[in-house]
Amino acid sequence: MWTNIHARVHQTLKDSCILPHKSNLLIAVSGGQDSLCLLKIMIDLQEKWGWNIAIAHCDHGWASDLGIADHVEKIANNWNIPFYLKVAKAMKETEAAAREWRYQSLVEIAEENDCREIVTGHTLSDRSETLLYNLIRGAGSNGLGALTWKRPLTNNINLVRPLLKVSRGETLEFCQQFALPIWEDAANANLDYARNRIRQELVPYLKENFNPNVETTLSQTSEVLKAESDYLEAEANKILLSAVNDHNSKLNREVLKGVPLALQRRVIRQFLAKIMVSKPNFEQIEETVNLIDAPRKSRTSSFPGKIMLEVEENYIVQKRTK
Ligand SMILES: Nc1ncnc2c1ncn2[C@@H]1O[C@H](COP(=O)(O)OP(=O)(O)OP(=O)(O)O)[C@@H](O)[C@H]1O
């Protein structure tokens, strides 16, 4: 039986072409409501799309993960789907370390089993929470449009998120409707994690006091910002290529002078990303943008290590301090 969610996901896949017909899909299943909903939908759409489906699970090896891998394996066996497991050894208990290891493990499983598409259960709710999380940390429109439908993980393997128009409330209802055995992850209750506080405290507060549809509107904002930032990044890159020299050591200010500030900032950020080890911060970008119209010999002072930029005639030149 197809539900409204099946029909919406099917339509999204038809419109967006994010998942090719007849491909091998590796579904990343955590055991939670989102990935179980995803798994059932992919199985139900499988015949229409000619996919081969396999399940991947990543066990962090933490005490709180005990039992999840067996639970997911049982689901795979019940549905007669190949199951692949990676288990971490002595992994740090941080969100960032866990995420990095998970994506690396998923790529390994995909490579070992000839899958080009890794599919995750990220929802519209995750997208709105990611926007809030990145906004609070000071991201620009690149970061606010971060959770996308498809992105490459390697030259051959993509991460695909077909549920970005489905909310977490809907995935729960879906699992209840089909009696799917959701694993309640204890880590989701841990309010030490910023993301859990956004999900459990901030979003409900915004829904109740500002906008009951805040998840949908933020998710749409993220979609719009993604398209705008992709466009601006591409334009900025063209300008950078015409302003920078072969060694990435100097920028022609004359090329940048007539350009709108929104693009100047992006060109400078892309330039700094080439010459710095760490990501350039807001002050460093602003200081460098100011050099575009500054008098000769003006220089930066906010860079780490020995990096310094100085105006020499028509150029902003990278120099080493002593
Ligand atoms: N342990 C796991 N094993 C396999 N897949 C997982 C696991 N944890 C998460 N996933 C996949 O990632 C999706 C998103 O889960 P979650 O939001 O917890 O991950 P995240 O890494 O925090 O997300 P993000 O990429 O936004 O940082 C899940 O729906 C599932 O498809």
Side-chain angles (χ1 to χ4, degrees):
M1 181 188 70
W2 270 32
T3 62
N4 167 279
I5 299 186
H6 285 91
R8 269 158 52 203
V9 173
H10 178 63
Q11 192 59 43
T12 301
L13 295 178
K14 271 173 69 180
D15 294 344
S16 63
C17 306
I18 48 176
L19 278 179
H21 283 267
K22 298 192 166 74
S23 43
N24 295 341
L25 308 186
L26 187 65
I27 316 281
V29 177
S30 64
Q33 61 185 65
D34 300 338
S35 52
L36 286 189
C37 171
L38 170 76
L39 178 61
K40 169 138 180 68
I41 290 175
M42 291 290 121
I43 290 171
D44 294 346
L45 300 188
Q46 179 174 23
E47 211 181 293
K48 248 195 160 45
W49 287 81
W51 295 322
N52 281 316
I53 288 181
I55 292 178
H57 179 76
C58 307
D59 181 345
H60 304 106
W62 300 334
S64 57
D65 280 356
L66 209 64
I68 308 184
D70 288 346
H71 178 76
V72 176
E73 185 168 10
K74 262 190 213 137
I75 295 173
N77 291 341
N78 283 344
W79 273 333
N80 220 358
I81 299 172
F83 171 77
Y84 303 107
L85 173 68
K86 290 272 173 188
V87 184
K89 291 183 194 93
M91 198 172 50
K92 274 201 294 189
E93 294 217 17
T94 68
E95 276 180 287
R99 184 173 307 121
E100 198 185 321
W101 172 78
R102 264 202 316 272
Y103 282 118
Q104 195 188 317
S105 305
L106 289 170
V107 165
E108 280 169 21
I109 298 175
E111 280 169 347
E112 287 157 11
N113 296 284
D114 195 25
C115 294
R116 288 177 161 230
E117 321 293 336
I118 296 172
V119 190
T120 61
H122 289 97
T123 61
L124 167 157
S125 310
D126 290 312
R127 200 178 210 190
S128 65
E129 288 158 14
T130 301
L131 182 145
L132 287 169
Y133 181 74
N134 288 342
L135 180 67
I136 293 164
R137 285 157 42 113
S141 53
N142 292 8
L144 302 182
L147 214 67
T148 54
W149 292 95
K150 182 165 189 163
R151 80 172 163 91
L153 291 174
T154 70
N155 284 343
N156 302 318
I157 298 174
N158 297 302
L159 175 65
V160 182
R161 301 171 169 126
L163 294 192
L164 288 184
K165 282 192 181 154
V166 178
S167 72
R168 190 170 299 115
E170 290 179 305
T171 62
L172 180 60
E173 240 177 66
F174 183 95
C175 290
Q176 288 166 344
Q177 183 179 352
F178 292 99
L180 304 182
I182 301 171
W183 184 277
E184 300 293 351
D185 184 356
N188 288 342
N190 185 347
L191 293 182
D192 289 341
Y193 293 144
R195 279 182 180 261
N196 289 345
R197 291 200 301 281
I198 290 176
R199 178 176 300 177
Q200 289 170 43
E201 295 177 345
L202 182 57
V203 171
Y205 179 82
L206 293 174
K207 271 187 174 170
E208 200 171 313
N209 295 286
F210 290 90
N211 177 2
N213 297 320
V214 71
E215 286 183 302
T216 305
T217 53
L218 289 180
S219 176
Q220 288 163 346
T221 301
S222 181
E223 178 91 43
V224 169
L225 288 172
K226 166 73 183 150
E228 292 184 359
S229 69
D230 280 355
Y231 169 70
L232 289 171
E233 277 300 283
E235 289 302 301
N237 195 252
K238 286 185 214 158
I239 298 168
L240 175 66
L241 291 178
S242 61
V244 74
N245 68 341
D246 287 347
H247 307 293
N248 295 325
S249 60
K250 60 182 186 176
L251 270 182
N252 186 337
R253 301 198 294 165
E254 292 308 307
V255 177
L256 300 177
K257 274 185 183 160
V259 165
L261 180 60
L263 284 169
Q264 286 180 338
R265 285 201 176 109
R266 284 176 187 264
V267 175
I268 295 296
R269 186 173 35 70
Q270 290 182 9
F271 173 65
L272 293 180
K274 285 182 188 289
I275 65 173
M276 291 172 66
V277 178
S278 55
K279 251 172 101 176
N281 63 31
F282 180 77
E283 284 75 26
Q284 290 158 350
I285 294 169
E286 291 305 283
E287 209 185 12
T288 313
V289 167
N290 289 337
L291 295 184
I292 294 172
D293 289 308
R296 286 172 52 232
K297 297 284 173 207
S298 302
R299 50 171 69 170
T300 57
S301 60
S302 65
F303 287 83
K306 293 185 174 161
I307 293 182
M308 192 258 288
L309 294 156
E310 189 176 281
V311 175
E312 272 182 13
E313 306 301 335
N314 286 343
Y315 292 90
I316 296 172
V317 181
Q318 181 193 349
K319 299 215 159 160
R320 299 253 144 205
T321 54
K322 288 181 195 118

